[in-house]
Amino acid sequence: MATGLGRKTPRKCGPDSMTRLLEMQGISMGFPGVKALSDVSISLDRGEVLGIVGENGAGKSTLMKILAGVFRPDAGQLHLEGVPFSPRRPKDALDAGIIVIHQELSLIPERSVAENIFLGHLPRGRLGGIRRAALNREASRLLARVGLSVSPRTLVRRLGIAQQQLVEIARALSREARVIVMDEPTATLTTAEQRILFATIATLRNAGVGLVFISHHLEEVFEICDRVTVLRDGAAVETRATKDWTEDALIQAMVNRPIEALFPARHATLGEVLLQVEGLSSAGRFEDVSFELRAGEVVGLGGLIGAGRTEVLKTIYGALPATKGKIHVESRERHIRSPRQALSAGVALVPEDRKGEGLVMPFSLRTNVAMSTLTKVSWLRSILAQGRIDRLAEHAVEDLRIRTPGIRQLVRSLSGGNQQKVVLSRALTTKPRIFLLDEPTRGIDVGAKVEVYRLINALAERGAAILVVSSDMLELLGLCDRVLVMRTGRIAGMVAKADFSQERIMALAALG
Ligand SMILES: Nc1ncnc2c1ncn2[C@@H]1O[C@H](COP(=O)(O)OP(=O)(O)OP(=O)(O)O)[C@@H](O)[C@H]1O
Ligand SMILES: [Mg+2]
C-alpha cells in the first residue's frame, strides 16, 4: 500500500525543535481501592506515532483521560511545547489542540452524523442559525476521508459501532489538532477500514501532528508506531523504538508471564446439527441467509462493516424481526421473537455494543455476571442463592482474569476490556448450547484473548455450537472450523479450513 508509512524516524520541525510536543512526567492517580497509575512518564514528538500497549486495566485509558482533562492526576506534570499545561476540563484540552477519541464512544444518538462531527463548533450564519448546507458539505468531505459511506444527515443511532468509530475519527479531523489520541480505534474495524485509517494517520503525521495509538492488535502497533511504551499494573515498564521491539518481547513486557500458543488446540468432535437457519431474511438488513451449526463446531462470520453480520445474529436471537425464513434448534422449528424466547431455546448472544446492550453500568460486577441466571430463580431463592452468586462471580474473575478490586466493584469503573469479560462471562452462566458471539475479544488484551479462546474451545468440546462474528482476520482463521463470509446482506460464500487464507476471505467480502 502506498500510504507513505515507510518513514519511521520522528520528524523534528518548528522553530524550537529541542522541546517535545508533549511531555507527561511522574503521573500518579488512584481510584478507591485501585492504584491506576504510579509515576508514569511519556513523551511525544511532532510527527510521531507513539504506541501504548498493556493488559486490560493497565492504565492506558486513565493516562489519556488525564491528558484530555477528564481526570486530574494526584501527582505529576504535563508540558505542551515546553509550556506547563494542566487541563481542568475537556474543553481546556480541546482548546489546546489535544483531541482524544475515547475507547467508549461518546456520540449523541439522536443527532445527525454531520452535527456530531461538528459538535461544539457548528458552522453558524450571522443570525446564529446552523448553516446546514455548509455543515453537510464539510461533513461529507470528512466522511470520505475516513472511508465511511453514509449520508451526513443519517441519525447516529442508526449506525453500527464501527461506523460510529469512524464518525469519531472524522470529528477529530474536523478540529485543528496538535495531538490526537486514538484509544482502541481499530477494535471494531475490518481490514479495509483499518487501511483507510492508517492512511489518514500517515497524512496527519506528515503534517506534524503527534499521535498516540492504543491497541491490543500488536501487528498494527508494529506497523504504524514509531515508538512503543508498555504499561503494566499502572507503571510504564519500558519504552523502545518499534524496530527494537519483537512481538515476543512486547508480550512478555505486557503480561510478565509466558504465553504459549495464541490459539490453543481444540479437541472437539462434530455432533448433530444444533442450529439450522434456512432462507432467513430481515427486510432492509439482509436476505436469504442459510447455514447450519453442529455441536462441537466453531464457525466464523466474516465480512466488511455493514455487511449484515451483527443483524443476522440479532435476528436469530429475536432482537430484530425476521421477515422470512426458518430457524430450527435441535431439529425443532422455533419462532424466536424475543431474546427471552431465544434463551429458553438455548441460544445466547454476546453483543458487540457492551455499553448499550450488554451491561448495566451502575450495577456491580457480581450482579452483572449473575443477571441472566437471576431471572430464572424466585426472589426468595435468589436471596438464598447469594453464596452461589458470589462463587459464580468469583469464578468469572478468575477464569477470565478480570482485573478488579472485588466482585462488588461497579461495572462502570472497570476498564474497557474488563467490561467485555463481564459480558462474556454472563452469557456463559446461562448454559446455552448455541452461542452467538459478536466480536468476543474486542478490546481484550493478548493474555486474556487466550483465555477466551480456551473458553470457546471448552464450550465446543462440551458439545456447544458457536458462531463468531469477528473483524480480526487472524482470529477467524485461528479459531474457526470454517468461515462464512457476508457481503451486502448476503452470504457470499464459505471458506473451509483447508482453504483458509486472508486473501480468500477478503476476496469474498469485497467482491463476492
Ligand atoms: N472511573 C473509575 N473508577 C474507579 N476505577 C477506575 C475508573 N476508571 C478506571 N479505573 C480502574 O483503573 C485501572 C486502569 O483502568 P484503565 O481504564 O486505564 O485501563 P486500560 O489500560 O485502558 O485497560 P483496557 O485495555 O481494558 O481498556 C483499572 O483497574 C480500572 O478498573
Ligand atoms: Mg482502556
Side-chain angles (χ1 to χ4, degrees):
M1 286 237 359
T3 51
L5 297 179
R7 190 180 47 76
K8 286 283 181 188
T9 46
R11 182 174 62 164
K12 304 264 165 48
C13 64
D16 186 11
S17 63
M18 292 311 285
T19 53
R20 304 209 113 151
L21 173 57
L22 171 72
E23 280 198 85
M24 296 181 79
Q25 285 160 328
I27 305 286
S28 294
M29 165 134 201
F31 296 106
V34 181
K35 184 103 176 109
L37 295 169
S38 34
D39 197 19
V40 171
S41 298
I42 59 162
S43 65
L44 181 68
D45 284 318
R46 298 164 195 83
E48 183 186 43
V49 183
L50 174 70
I52 300 185
V53 300
E55 282 188 293
N56 297 131
K60 305 178 295 292
S61 297
T62 304
L63 188 63
M64 291 305 116
K65 283 179 185 163
I66 290 171
L67 177 60
V70 176
F71 294 149
R72 310 235 19 225
D74 300 332
Q77 295 91 43
L78 283 78
H79 286 87
L80 197 59
E81 317 238 9
V83 180
F85 171 63
S86 48
R88 286 164 186 279
R89 54 211 160 105
K91 190 174 179 301
D92 296 344
L94 275 176
D95 290 347
I98 294 173
I99 294 165
V100 177
I101 304 170
H102 292 288
Q103 189 172 12
E104 299 300 341
L105 304 180
S106 59
L107 301 175
I108 300 175
E110 295 305 323
R111 294 279 200 99
S112 74
V113 166
E115 286 169 322
N116 269 281
I117 290 176
F118 288 98
L119 209 67
H121 61 136
L122 289 163
R124 293 193 184 270
R126 264 185 305 171
L127 298 175
I130 297 170
R131 289 162 52 218
R132 294 272 158 203
L135 173 68
N136 289 322
R137 193 175 54 242
E138 269 305 290
S140 296
R141 194 180 59 79
L142 291 167
L143 289 171
R145 262 185 87 184
V146 298
L148 180 59
S149 47
V150 300
S151 156
R153 294 179 186 81
T154 315
L155 291 187
V156 158
R157 76 176 149 80
R158 303 212 164 274
L159 303 182
I161 195 103
Q163 292 173 317
Q164 293 188 29
Q165 179 80 62
L166 294 172
V167 173
E168 289 266 4
I169 294 164
R171 170 151 86 179
L173 299 181
S174 79
R175 294 195 171 254
E176 196 67 41
R178 281 199 279 183
V179 175
I180 296 182
V181 176
M182 299 186 178
D183 194 350
E184 301 255 3
T186 57
T188 57
L189 301 187
T190 57
T191 314
E193 287 95 12
Q194 184 241 48
R195 297 324 307 174
I196 297 173
L197 175 64
F198 278 18
T200 309
I201 291 179
T203 313
L204 290 166
R205 164 208 262 163
N206 289 334
V209 175
L211 292 110
V212 177
F213 184 80
I214 297 176
S215 176
H216 291 291
H217 294 285
L218 299 183
E219 71 285 356
E220 296 179 353
V221 171
F222 274 98
E223 177 177 343
I224 198 82
C225 298
D226 299 301
R227 282 186 306 140
V228 184
T229 294
V230 175
L231 286 190
R232 190 172 74 226
D233 294 336
V237 289
E238 206 170 348
T239 299
R240 294 184 199 169
T242 308
K243 63 174 175 30
D244 298 329
W245 282 109
T246 62
E247 186 151 325
D248 284 347
L250 206 56
I251 291 174
Q252 178 64 35
M254 282 168 66
V255 303
N256 203 24
R257 64 190 149 83
I259 292 219
E260 311 97 56
L262 181 55
F263 296 103
R266 178 167 60 242
H267 309 281
T269 38
L270 292 198
E272 77 278 19
V273 174
L274 287 187
L275 177 72
Q276 193 185 8
V277 175
E278 239 184 280
L280 193 68
S281 302
S282 182
R285 299 189 178 96
F286 62 87
E287 288 294 318
D288 198 21
V289 166
S290 303
F291 65 89
E292 289 180 352
L293 286 185
R294 291 176 172 278
E297 195 175 31
V298 181
V299 176
L301 191 56
L304 301 179
I305 291 171
R309 301 165 301 167
T310 294
E311 288 78 3
V312 168
L313 261 51
K314 284 189 173 172
T315 304
I316 298 172
Y317 188 61
L320 284 177
T323 43
K324 242 196 258 163
K326 289 188 179 144
I327 296 175
H328 287 81
V329 177
E330 302 188 49
S331 317
R332 239 181 88 197
E333 182 165 5
R334 293 280 196 160
H335 299 278
I336 297 173
R337 293 204 183 80
S338 70
R340 189 170 284 265
Q341 290 174 358
L343 283 170
S344 72
V347 179
L349 172 81
V350 176
E352 65 173 337
D353 181 4
R354 58 180 169 246
K355 202 173 168 189
E357 305 166 43
L359 293 170
V360 186
M361 290 288 170
F363 285 12
S364 68
L365 179 158
R366 178 182 178 279
T367 307
N368 270 280
V369 168
M371 205 126 54
S372 309
T373 43
L374 276 182
T375 55
K376 286 186 179 169
V377 287
S378 73
W379 180 238
L380 179 67
R381 278 177 51 210
S382 84
I383 292 174
L384 298 174
Q386 293 303 323
R388 204 179 49 118
I389 293 173
D390 283 349
R391 277 195 302 283
L392 209 62
E394 276 153 13
H395 278 150
V397 168
E398 209 169 295
D399 286 351
L400 290 175
R401 294 172 184 275
I402 300 175
R403 191 189 147 108
T404 173
I407 57 174
R408 287 173 197 278
Q409 187 78 355
L410 299 189
V411 158
R412 185 177 35 210
S413 67
L414 296 180
S415 77
N418 283 307
Q419 291 177 359
Q420 177 71 0
K421 295 182 197 173
V422 174
V423 177
L424 262 174
S425 54
R426 179 167 70 206
L428 302 178
T429 61
T430 61
K431 303 220 190 314
R433 283 202 82 190
I434 299 162
F435 288 90
L436 310 172
L437 308 180
D438 201 351
E439 304 284 358
T441 62
R442 172 162 97 94
I444 288 190
D445 68 57
V446 262
K449 263 184 198 166
V450 181
E451 309 300 327
V452 171
Y453 298 148
R454 255 189 239 294
L455 257 166
I456 290 175
N457 287 352
L459 292 170
E461 284 162 7
R462 270 185 257 148
I466 297 142
L467 184 64
V468 185
V469 167
S470 176
S471 297
D472 182 345
M473 190 77 85
L474 298 176
E475 178 167 293
L476 284 178
L477 299 178
L479 182 66
C480 300
D481 296 312
R482 56 196 169 91
V483 175
L484 298 162
V485 183
M486 286 192 74
R487 190 177 61 96
T488 56
R490 288 175 182 274
I491 301 271
M494 196 267 287
V495 186
K497 193 163 191 111
D499 306 322
F500 270 3
S501 76
Q502 299 206 31
E503 292 71 27
R504 270 300 273 281
I505 294 176
M506 274 312 287
L508 280 172
L511 312 166

